[in-house]
Amino acid sequence: MSTHKPATIAVRTGIESDTQHHAVVPPIYLSTNYGFPAFGEVPKYDYTRSGNPNRGLLEQTLFELESGKGAVITNCGTSALNLWATAFLGPDDLIVAPHDCYGGSYRLFNTRAQKGDFKVLFVDQSDPSALTEALAQKPKLVLVETPSNPLVRVVDIAALCEQAHAVDALVAVDNTFLTPVFQKPLELGADFVIHSTTKYINGHSDVIGGVVITKTEQHAEELAWWGNCIGATGTPFDSYMTLRGLRTLGARMRVHEESSREILSYLQNHQSVGTIYHPSLPEHPGHAIALKQQSGFGSMLSFEFAGSFEQLKTFVSALKLFSLAESLGGVESLICHPASMTHRAMGEAALAEAGVSQQLLRLSVGLEDVQDLISDLEQAFNVAAEDN
């Protein structure tokens, strides 16, 4: 395990590893297959679905960043969740997932459970009694999303892992919002860490990918076998691009968070803003837990628009520096209406249960000048106020 700090691991892993031409940056290996040294002698890489030097470097960088023992890069974040579930769940096994998880995660688990692949229970994991009742059903796997998407709820990872392990359940934490720069779930007791590398890990909104990182080598081997078996693994070029984006993770996360703090201060004093959801706020229910298990608060925030729904639509349309788009974690700022975008697959009843209202807006604060972003929010609020 590396003793270096995260920024150093992100920048230096794989640098000067090319032994043929001594390139500082590792080259792209686009070959789909590799020659066998001799009959019956299986090389490290034989077919790119099974393994590739670029994917291997990205996996190494990420499991070192998360203090893990292994990782499998997948072709998207949902694929990482699907691989994890496929590898460890049978028809009679139960997975406990957050009731307010990302809409794509909800759709995946709910649909596969309806097919009979496994059983799923969506539960408010911040409710001690609800969590205790769920764990009493002896789940095989528990998924934790903290901070959650889109309401940035915070769950005590160490406490939940202790409870889950007491009933022999394995725990995975979706660490997409904070990255290993601000949170290290494996060090808090989790067995797996999952990322949509599409988001902050890559950071440039130009590559889709995912990863499952493991605490043990045995679990890494199991996931690698299944990843190859079902064809869930990532491509060489995508791995190269993701590692390229990952090099600047530490610097990007600092600026993302600095800008989000200033935007939060602005939103707190605006009459068109209702409840704000961000764990840095003392009134946030998970603030104390976040202080304990996070080294930063991240830059994802949500708020209830205090005007009418028509004014909300006007506000969003008037923005010039916040693109109306799904995803998050890129250099560009985004605004999202979860109920009609990222979480629309959940259905009205599930949205209501999760607390995702039609007035909720989610911001992914990018790397533009923060004063320009605040000015853009201000002019959009003014346009919305005129829409009566």
Side-chain angles (χ1 to χ4, degrees):
M1 187 177 299
S2 177
T3 57
H4 291 129
K5 303 295 185 185
T8 305
I9 294 171
V11 171
R12 295 298 307 185
T13 302
I15 294 295
E16 295 188 274
S17 61
D18 174 37
T19 57
Q20 183 171 8
H21 299 294
H22 307 289
V24 173
V25 175
I28 308 176
Y29 293 86
L30 293 177
S31 181
T32 56
N33 53 1
Y34 297 82
F36 282 53
F39 185 85
E41 185 178 339
V42 180
K44 180 178 181 180
Y45 300 112
D46 57 358
Y47 190 66
T48 287
R49 186 185 68 247
S50 307
N52 168 271
N54 298 109
R55 195 165 77 232
L57 275 179
L58 179 58
E59 289 168 344
Q60 179 187 347
T61 307
L62 287 171
F63 77 67
E64 286 190 7
L65 281 170
E66 288 283 11
S67 302
K69 293 290 186 179
V72 177
I73 296 296
T74 60
N75 49 40
C76 68
T78 304
S79 184
L81 284 170
N82 195 45
L83 169 62
W84 175 64
T86 299
F88 297 106
L89 292 175
D92 296 324
D93 293 324
L94 172 67
I95 179 173
V96 170
H99 75 308
D100 59 341
C101 62
Y102 164 57
S105 304
Y106 183 96
R107 176 178 54 203
L108 171 68
F109 294 134
N110 190 49
T111 304
R112 288 200 61 185
Q114 289 174 352
K115 286 184 62 181
D117 295 341
F118 49 74
K119 300 173 183 177
V120 65
L121 178 60
F122 296 102
V123 63
D124 182 353
Q125 296 176 351
S126 63
D127 181 339
S129 60
L131 180 61
T132 299
E133 289 179 15
L135 293 177
Q137 298 186 41
K138 302 292 182 68
K140 183 76 172 290
L141 300 178
V142 177
L143 175 68
V144 181
E145 195 177 281
T146 182
S148 69
N149 181 6
L151 290 169
V152 289
R153 293 187 174 116
V154 175
V155 176
D156 189 326
I157 296 173
L160 187 147
C161 288
E162 184 177 353
Q163 284 182 269
H165 291 157
V167 296
D168 296 323
L170 296 170
V171 180
V173 175
D174 186 328
N175 202 25
T176 298
F177 270 23
L178 291 182
T179 82
V181 172
F182 291 143
Q183 184 169 263
K184 305 289 280 292
L186 296 183
E187 295 180 1
L188 295 167
D191 303 288
F192 308 92
V193 172
I194 294 175
H195 288 275
S196 170
T197 59
T198 311
K199 313 305 194 291
Y200 288 107
I201 295 297
N202 172 58
H204 292 78
S205 301
D206 53 8
V207 180
I208 287 181
V211 66
V212 187
I213 300 164
T214 67
K215 180 178 283 186
T216 70
E217 293 179 359
Q218 179 185 344
H219 284 153
E221 291 171 3
E222 292 179 69
L223 286 165
W225 189 92
W226 276 104
N228 179 54
C229 178
I230 66 176
T233 50
T235 68
F237 185 74
D238 287 355
S239 297
Y240 173 88
M241 289 292 288
T242 302
L243 184 57
R244 183 176 183 267
L246 181 57
R247 303 293 192 197
T248 60
L249 178 65
R252 286 188 285 107
M253 293 303 288
R254 284 196 300 273
V255 179
H256 281 304
E257 189 180 48
E258 289 169 4
S259 294
S260 69
R261 284 200 298 265
E262 294 194 44
I263 288 175
L264 275 170
S265 297
Y266 165 76
L267 293 175
Q268 284 180 289
N269 297 307
H270 202 286
Q271 67 273 15
S272 295
V273 176
T275 303
I276 301 174
Y277 305 100
H278 194 263
S280 68
L281 303 175
E283 62 269 24
H284 188 283
H287 179 68
I289 299 171
L291 285 175
K292 180 178 66 172
Q293 69 186 20
Q294 301 172 195
S295 58
F297 293 108
S299 58
M300 293 302 302
L301 62 101
S302 297
F303 67 92
E304 306 284 347
F305 188 86
S308 68
F309 188 64
E310 289 303 314
Q311 287 177 314
L312 178 151
K313 292 193 290 185
T314 299
F315 166 74
V316 170
S317 298
L319 289 167
K320 296 178 173 61
L321 298 181
F322 288 82
S323 299
L324 178 62
E326 296 185 349
S327 198
L328 56 101
V331 295
E332 75 288 347
S333 291
L334 303 175
I335 189 165
C336 170
H337 181 249
S340 66
M341 295 171 69
T342 55
H343 290 65
R344 66 182 181 273
M346 293 177 67
E348 291 185 11
L351 286 172
E353 178 69 19
V356 179
S357 76
Q358 292 294 326
Q359 296 298 116
L360 184 72
L361 293 171
R362 189 193 71 185
L363 299 183
S364 174
V365 179
L367 302 185
E368 303 91 343
D369 184 275
V370 69
Q371 292 307 316
D372 287 340
L373 293 176
I374 291 173
S375 295
D376 188 40
L377 290 168
E378 179 68 16
Q379 66 83 23
F381 278 126
N382 290 338
V383 172
E386 295 171 1
D387 184 10
N388 293 315

